[in-house]
Amino acid sequence: MNLLGWICMIASLSFVWGLAGTCYYLMLNDPETPIEEVPRLHSD
C-alpha cells in the first residue's frame, strides 16, 4: 500500500472512531432523567 492509501485509511478510521466516541460520550453523559415506569405497560 502506498502513502496515499495509508493516509486515506488513517483518515477514515479516525473519522469513524471520532463519530463512535462522540455518540458514546453523548449517550453516557445524557443529563435527561430516565422515564418513569408507565403503569399501562403492566397488566395486573
Side-chain angles (χ1 to χ4, degrees), residues 12-30:
S12 298
L13 286 173
S14 299
F15 181 71
V16 170
W17 288 340
L19 284 178
T22 302
C23 289
Y24 287 135
Y25 176 78
L26 291 176
M27 290 302 293
L28 292 175
N29 292 321
D30 190 11

Side-chain angles (χ1 to χ4, degrees), residues 30-44:
D30 190 11
E32 187 175 321
T33 57
I35 300 172
E36 297 296 328
E37 286 189 26
V38 181
R40 63 182 170 82
L41 294 178
H42 299 285
S43 59
D44 291 329

